[in-house]
Amino acid sequence: MKGKMNLSSLIIQISAPIEIFFNKLLSHRNAACRINKLSHSDERCWGVFLKDFGYGVWLAEGIHFRRLKCLTFDLSVHLKNIGALAKRLMKTHLMQFELNALFRFRSLDKLTQKASEVCYILENAKPTHSSLALVMVAAGALRAVNRSGSSGFLNLKNSAEEFIEFVAKLLISKTKSSEYDGNNTGINLLLQLMSLALARSGSVSYKDSILVSLALALLNEVFPLQRIYNKVLKFPEENCGKVLDEIKDHLNSVIFKEAGAITGVFCNQYALADEDSRSIVENLIWDYCQKVYLCHRQTAVMLVGRGDNVIKEIEKVAESAFLMVVVFALGVTKYRLDAKINREPQLEISVRILVSFSCMEYFRRMRLPEYMDTIRAVIVSVQENESACVSFVESIPSYDDLTNNYGSSNSPKLEYLWSTDEVQTARVIFYMRVIPTCVERLPASVFKKMVAPTMFLYIGHPNGKVTRYSHSVFVAFISSGKDPNQDERDLLKEQLVFYYVQRSLEGYPGITPFEGMASGVAALVRHLPAGSPSIFYCIHSLVEKATTLCSTVSSHDNDLWKNWEGELEPAKKVIDLLLRLLSLVDIQVLPSLMKLLAQLMVQLPTSGQNMLLNQLYEQVAESDDVIRKPTLISWLQSLSYLCSQEPNKLVRKTASASTMGSITLNGVNARL
């Protein structure tokens, strides 16, 4: 009697927060109520009730299991009209709590009897609709046995695992059917139940069917992006409102909130899997990343400005999917990139991880150590192998794909501007960050075909961060030197410089970041052969650009010329770069650079000349280059003399784009 009173008292104590919830349940006695229509507070009430009910069973003395079964039956009556997922979850908890109570009070006879009953049911189950409920019963039994620490009920554990494996095989066979298109309610529910059951069961022995079913559950039910994209892309106008509600419901659902736990079980199963099973789930994940990139790019272009809320909610799901991919990829590097695996499969896996990360890069909204650890692990193997480098670079979207968005067959033709496509830009940035690490192994022909068009396209991107990555790729290639066909590589460098300088200067100062352009110029004068025509072209173009920028500012505005600020700041940066080149260019190019700089400076107002001369004096004085310093001193003395002459004693000629190749000033060439 004492035990009954304690249990009754405990139930009364916890009934207050549950009463409102049960009233809601009873109000839906004659109508279906899906679990994702329940509010967050409703789900919290479930958790409070199940937790306290279980503790009440543990603490009660002399518990009457018949009353427990009656309460279980009463609950099942009240629950029959709510969502299918909630009903099956209740079965898991009730089975677990009942077995926990038996373990707690060491009721060996009742435990043995209950275990036998459950084993009999699971071993004789048929592939019918009851499998949905029995999966959760097996999960509850498995969790109770795992948490008990007892080794005396391995038969119950084995029966539960064998039944889950049986259902997993059944599930996989159904998903392989030609009739399955991802929208079968029964299969979708079974995928959800399987993943939740395994996430809440504790330790589960490895089975290949369980591994694959978990992969399918993650990609189709936990992160059902493909299903969402299909609805939006087919009928964007009609489905936006419905899809928005569906996504919000999913974000609040039990299956989404358990994403981390399900991913953990999946990775644990992967760690124990054989090579064939690992390859199967790897391909599923990598293909999923490709589809997400393609579909999200289409969806973002289609809904921008009119369905921003839908895009925002979709990206919440995709961000979590990105985390899953990163955690899984880190596990792949741990178990697949070791000495026991053949080199060729390792390289293929490394490339596929990089390509998958590029597809999901847009959804990376935080710094993840696992993300960087994975990239470092795979790049080590890729950058040492030419075929792997080529394979990775050839996965870059083509120039045509980058500049056009053809859309799907179901969507109308839309106006498209490549520079506003943030999904695509994020992917290109990923490539731009990785390519410099492996450019040494990349043949010149591949760089010319696959990288150069993208690099030059994104040098003109309005976002300075994106543009800087393009400049870094140019610097990496110009600085590289290992190539079986070195002549071909050197020739390509010469060819690229002309277009690089043109593209950079035409976007300066509006688009081209000066730091990026300066790094590119410094790299080409350092690494191209002495006396290279492209170096001469670069210097002529820089002087022409500086002259043009200076000509836009009035020569009578002394304050600007004294400080070189405001409108003159872009010109000052270019001139500073030219001054730095005095110590970088080879001896064959130096005379031409000095002559062009002198021709530029004598055209400037006196206040501007004085500031630059002071800067030159300081630079030459600090130089420790004993070879070129005497030449620079002599040149600087002549330049100072010319600048001190009255302006009308020098014949000025304004440099233009058509005449810059042969700039001359009467008297200047002779003096220098």
Side-chain angles (χ1 to χ4, degrees), residues 431-543:
Y431 280 98
M432 295 296 181
R433 293 206 322 266
V434 175
I435 287 174
T437 67
C438 60
V439 73
E440 290 282 352
R441 298 280 184 178
L442 197 63
S445 58
V446 177
F447 187 93
K448 179 180 181 180
K449 178 182 177 182
M450 300 303 304
V451 181
T454 302
M455 178 184 72
F456 285 130
L457 175 66
Y458 279 84
I459 278 179
H461 196 281
N463 186 314
K465 178 182 177 182
V466 178
T467 307
R468 279 191 290 272
Y469 282 119
S470 296
H471 286 280
S472 67
V473 172
F474 175 81
V475 170
F477 181 72
I478 292 295
S479 306
S480 65
K482 297 178 181 179
D483 197 311
N485 191 345
Q486 193 61 43
D487 291 340
E488 180 184 5
R489 199 175 194 88
D490 291 340
L491 177 60
L492 178 60
K493 289 179 182 180
E494 295 275 358
Q495 294 171 343
L496 293 180
V497 165
F498 289 94
Y499 194 53
Y500 171 78
V501 172
Q502 178 186 339
R503 285 283 287 168
S504 297
L505 290 178
E506 71 182 7
Y508 181 80
I511 294 176
T512 302
F514 176 77
E515 295 78 8
M517 180 176 66
S519 65
V521 171
L524 69 91
V525 298
R526 281 193 180 105
H527 297 283
L528 290 181
S532 168
S534 57
I535 297 179
F536 284 100
Y537 173 78
C538 176
I539 292 172
H540 275 259
S541 299
L542 288 171
V543 173

Side-chain angles (χ1 to χ4, degrees), residues 342-518:
N342 292 333
R343 183 66 172 162
E344 187 174 345
Q346 283 188 20
L347 295 174
E348 182 181 353
I349 291 169
S350 297
V351 170
R352 295 210 67 181
I353 289 176
L354 289 176
V355 174
S356 299
F357 274 16
S358 76
C359 292
M360 301 297 288
E361 178 69 11
Y362 175 72
F363 307 109
R364 183 172 68 93
R365 309 294 165 82
M366 64 182 74
R367 291 183 176 272
L368 293 173
E370 296 85 353
Y371 173 81
M372 295 307 302
D373 291 345
T374 303
I375 291 180
R376 280 191 287 266
V378 298
I379 282 182
V380 167
S381 53
V382 170
Q383 67 185 5
E384 295 177 352
N385 184 274
E386 180 179 314
S387 63
C389 292
V390 172
S391 179
F392 171 67
V393 168
E394 287 181 342
S395 67
I396 298 177
S398 67
Y399 185 88
D400 187 51
D401 288 336
L402 292 174
T403 54
N404 296 283
N405 191 329
Y406 296 106
S408 65
S409 57
N410 298 313
S411 61
K413 181 69 174 178
L414 302 171
E415 292 185 7
Y416 177 73
L417 182 62
W418 64 271
S419 60
T420 62
D421 190 337
E422 295 182 0
V423 181
Q424 175 178 271
T425 298
R427 187 179 186 193
V428 171
I429 287 177
F430 182 89
Y431 280 98
M432 295 296 181
R433 293 206 322 266
V434 175
I435 287 174
T437 67
C438 60
V439 73
E440 290 282 352
R441 298 280 184 178
L442 197 63
S445 58
V446 177
F447 187 93
K448 179 180 181 180
K449 178 182 177 182
M450 300 303 304
V451 181
T454 302
M455 178 184 72
F456 285 130
L457 175 66
Y458 279 84
I459 278 179
H461 196 281
N463 186 314
K465 178 182 177 182
V466 178
T467 307
R468 279 191 290 272
Y469 282 119
S470 296
H471 286 280
S472 67
V473 172
F474 175 81
V475 170
F477 181 72
I478 292 295
S479 306
S480 65
K482 297 178 181 179
D483 197 311
N485 191 345
Q486 193 61 43
D487 291 340
E488 180 184 5
R489 199 175 194 88
D490 291 340
L491 177 60
L492 178 60
K493 289 179 182 180
E494 295 275 358
Q495 294 171 343
L496 293 180
V497 165
F498 289 94
Y499 194 53
Y500 171 78
V501 172
Q502 178 186 339
R503 285 283 287 168
S504 297
L505 290 178
E506 71 182 7
Y508 181 80
I511 294 176
T512 302
F514 176 77
E515 295 78 8
M517 180 176 66

Side-chain angles (χ1 to χ4, degrees), residues 39-88:
S39 67
H40 181 68
S41 60
D42 294 329
E43 294 187 15
R44 186 167 62 252
C45 286
W46 272 117
V48 171
F49 175 77
L50 293 172
K51 180 179 178 182
D52 291 341
F53 176 71
Y55 289 161
V57 171
W58 289 352
L59 296 173
E61 298 176 7
I63 186 170
H64 287 249
F65 292 102
R66 184 176 301 172
R67 289 181 58 81
L68 176 62
K69 290 182 178 179
C70 290
L71 181 55
T72 302
F73 175 77
D74 291 340
L75 285 173
S76 65
V77 171
H78 291 306
L79 293 174
K80 70 178 182 179
N81 287 322
I82 71 167
L85 189 59
K87 287 192 290 186
R88 273 70 182 199

Side-chain angles (χ1 to χ4, degrees), residues 25 70 114 215 299 309 315 390 470 486 529 575 620 629 668:
L25 293 179
C70 290
K114 186 66 178 178
T299 301
N309 289 334
E315 289 177 0
V390 172
S470 296
Q486 193 61 43
I575 295 175
V620 173
K629 189 169 184 176
V668 173

Side-chain angles (χ1 to χ4, degrees), residues 243-257:
V243 170
L244 184 61
D245 292 338
E246 180 181 329
I247 300 171
K248 288 182 177 180
D249 289 341
H250 182 73
L251 291 171
N252 292 320
S253 66
V254 176
I255 189 74
F256 185 75
K257 291 176 181 178

